[in-house]
Amino acid sequence: MDTFIIKGGVPLYGEVAISGAKNAVLPILAATLLTSEPCVIRRVPNLSDVHFMGRILRSLGASFSYENGMVAVHANRIKARGDYDLIRKMRGSICILGPLLARKGKANVSMPGGCIIGTRPIDLHLKGLKALSAEVKVREGYVQVEAKQLKGTEVFLGGRVGPTVLGTANIMMAATLAEGVTIIESAACEPEIVDLAHFLIAMGAKIQGAGTPRMTITGVNKLHGAEHDVIPDRIEAATYAIAAAATNGEVTLKDMRCDHLAAVLDKLKEAGVQFEAKGTSLKILSGGNIQPVDVSTQPYTGFPTDAQAQLMALMLKAPGLSIITERIFESRFMHANELARLGADIAIEGPSAIVRGGMPLSGAKVMASDLRASAALVIAGLMCEGRTQVNRIYHLDRGYEVMDKKLRSLGARVKRGKES
Ligand code: EPU
């Protein structure tokens, strides 16, 4: 297994280009199943999750090719039953359920399990599909959905902690080919949902209100092939912005959307990070004294759960107490114990992590537990005196395009090696 070996203590300096958004591209790739015509997606990050989704599409009968950030998919003839073991390995693949059902009139997809960050139920996905008049069963580990003709409806998709991102994606994709009008109330407002809506509209779908809690989809008979450029990855941007601040560096992030990062930038400002946002670039300036902040994760436009771990790493630098409350996933603090190996003082109290910052940090061997936890450990490694080894880097490769190369281009001493 690959590992990162980091020699910390070097401020990051220079420019880094932000890649296309993983969480936008996965549902967009699933949406290509809605048409028998070819689709072309550009600005696709070269990530293991993207290639995994490619394998899933191929296993359903579609052709999928990736070259230099461009994906061509042609789902001419597809089957409705997904490969059990393949699909269950990637939670994000649940978003093939809606498009398969809409295109084939039925779908069989393995029931996704929980994961390290929480239980991750799909009750809201199933509620939405039932509302569209699908029959839903869970049998032998599969979710089986069937509907000769989906029917437009009004459905409330808010859950325990608010809207669901992939649940909204599934229902909006299914509704594009339903008969009549579907209104999703409490729809997720994430930029990735808006990007998916843009792709679906380019395919001929009729969607209004994407990016607001009330989305209206008027079903059409058929969707056609389309081309699309994926939005920049706001979480990758947040990660590099935080890494720059954590090393007291000066880094310009290019090709990004500052408007997608309002909550993160607001928190960084409160923490004393200085920056200049101009058009599609964001320059993090050195010299800010990092102050403790309190933050709660929320659905968009609030502070994203996917940047919580990285902010926690930054708070290790802030003398005093920061309270970081995780409101989206119940066990997304696995990084706290690993950060403790580097000298961090973090107490977990229910959904909150109380971070006492300003402690000396020194490098150690740590283990990544999920994608964003890995990013936090890398940031902390960059802040540490000495050598940090971050094991199980395959988690990071799921969602960060060539992070080691990008960090090296900013002057970081990061090497990819094999776990010993
Ligand atoms: N939830 C339910 N029932 C459902 C669906 C969700 O109760 O049917 C709950 C979840 O348990 C959670 C909350 O609703 O407490 C939000 O989950 P959501 O469905 O929005 O998460 P997701 O769509 O499965 C996507 C991203 C995650 C990101 C979350 C929240 C993708 C592929 N994944 O997951 O990304 O954390 O939205 O923003 O888009 C990551 O990139 O590291 C990552 C985990």
Side-chain angles (χ1 to χ4, degrees):
M1 273 188 278
D2 279 7
T3 188
F4 273 9
I5 294 155
I6 303 169
K7 288 192 184 142
V10 181
L12 301 185
Y13 189 85
E15 280 183 9
V16 63
I18 299 305
S19 301
K22 165 184 87 83
N23 288 349
V25 84
L26 294 178
I28 285 172
L29 289 175
T32 63
L33 293 170
L34 286 163
T35 177
S36 59
E37 295 181 16
C39 295
V40 172
I41 322 292
R42 287 180 293 261
R43 209 174 199 266
V44 177
N46 194 359
L47 299 172
S48 60
D49 268 12
V50 167
H51 294 290
F52 205 83
M53 188 55 124
R55 279 177 66 192
I56 291 173
L57 296 180
R58 279 197 200 114
S59 77
L60 292 167
S63 68
F64 173 97
S65 67
Y66 181 97
E67 211 181 318
N68 288 332
M70 195 176 91
V71 164
V73 187
H74 192 183
N76 185 17
R77 288 170 138 220
I78 51 164
K79 53 182 187 179
R81 189 184 177 88
D83 180 286
Y84 186 84
D85 284 319
L86 198 56
I87 293 173
R88 97 187 147 74
K89 283 190 189 136
M90 186 173 77
R91 242 212 83 89
S93 59
I94 190 64
C95 59
I96 65 172
L97 192 60
L100 271 186
L101 172 65
R103 171 95 181 272
K104 301 292 292 179
K106 61 182 177 183
N108 262 5
V109 169
S110 36
M111 184 78 181
C115 74
I116 195 88
I117 64 177
T119 50
R120 311 199 68 180
I122 58 160
D123 55 311
L124 297 169
H125 301 235
L126 302 185
K127 174 185 174 184
L129 295 178
K130 277 185 198 154
L132 286 168
S133 83
E135 200 183 309
V136 177
K137 287 185 212 142
V138 178
R139 200 173 276 166
E140 293 165 358
Y142 280 94
V143 187
Q144 303 178 337
V145 288
E146 196 164 345
K148 287 217 166 56
Q149 173 64 60
L150 292 169
K151 295 204 166 60
T153 187
E154 199 165 323
V155 62
F156 182 84
L157 279 190
R160 222 170 17 93
V161 294
T164 158
V165 178
L166 290 178
T168 301
N170 251 332
I171 305 314
M172 69 195 271
M173 288 192 277
T176 57
L177 292 178
E179 188 180 279
V181 177
T182 299
I183 296 174
I184 305 178
E185 295 284 4
S186 196
C189 301
E190 270 68 5
E192 293 76 18
I193 290 294
V194 179
D195 205 34
L196 172 63
H198 286 152
F199 178 57
L200 293 169
I201 290 167
M203 294 172 84
K206 293 192 175 147
I207 300 174
Q208 283 175 318
T212 76
R214 183 184 166 95
M215 204 182 327
T216 306
I217 301 124
T218 306
V220 295
N221 286 333
K222 212 170 166 230
L223 294 177
H224 51 75
E227 299 196 2
H228 182 75
D229 285 359
V230 177
I231 52 167
D233 195 314
R234 63 194 167 102
I235 304 301
E236 191 198 22
T239 303
Y240 283 103
I242 291 172
T247 59
N248 196 17
E250 195 149 296
V251 173
T252 302
L253 315 183
K254 306 286 251 187
D255 308 334
M256 62 166 292
R257 289 275 302 258
C258 298
D259 57 328
H260 290 168
L261 225 56
V264 172
L265 292 180
D266 186 63
K267 246 335 131 190
L268 290 181
K269 193 170 173 186
E270 192 185 325
V273 178
Q274 292 167 27
F275 55 84
E276 286 164 3
K278 212 195 273 160
T280 56
S281 71
L282 173 73
K283 184 171 187 181
I284 304 293
L285 303 166
S286 62
N289 272 334
I290 305 298
Q291 304 300 318
V293 291
D294 293 347
V295 71
S296 283
T297 61
Q298 287 169 358
Y300 193 76
T301 56
F303 191 91
T305 172
D306 292 343
Q308 174 260 108
Q310 301 89 314
L311 188 79
M312 190 182 291
L314 177 65
M315 286 303 105
L316 301 180
K317 205 178 155 83
L321 289 185
S322 304
I323 302 179
I324 298 180
T325 304
E326 174 54 56
R327 294 267 177 232
I328 307 294
F329 293 112
E330 70 261 34
S331 56
R332 208 173 195 181
F333 284 140
M334 299 298 284
H335 42 283
N337 277 335
E338 296 303 301
L339 291 171
R341 291 183 202 273
L342 304 174
D345 180 347
I346 304 169
I348 306 294
E349 292 284 347
S352 297
I354 300 158
V355 182
R356 186 184 298 277
M359 303 296 168
L361 300 174
S362 62
K365 205 185 258 191
V366 290
M367 193 173 80
S369 56
D370 73 83
L371 170 58
R372 309 303 171 187
S374 325
L377 294 174
V378 170
I379 292 171
L382 295 170
M383 293 159 67
C384 277
E385 285 297 314
R387 180 187 193 270
T388 296
Q389 179 170 342
V390 185
N391 284 344
R392 303 210 175 167
I393 261 329
Y394 63 87
H395 288 295
L396 195 91
D397 293 333
R398 287 186 37 224
Y400 289 94
E401 195 173 40
V402 292
M403 192 188 221
D404 45 340
K405 275 196 191 153
K406 286 190 180 184
L407 285 173
R408 275 197 300 276
S409 78
L410 296 172
R413 294 178 294 184
V414 180
K415 248 182 16 198
R416 185 181 284 263
K418 291 281 171 213
E419 270 181 38
S420 48

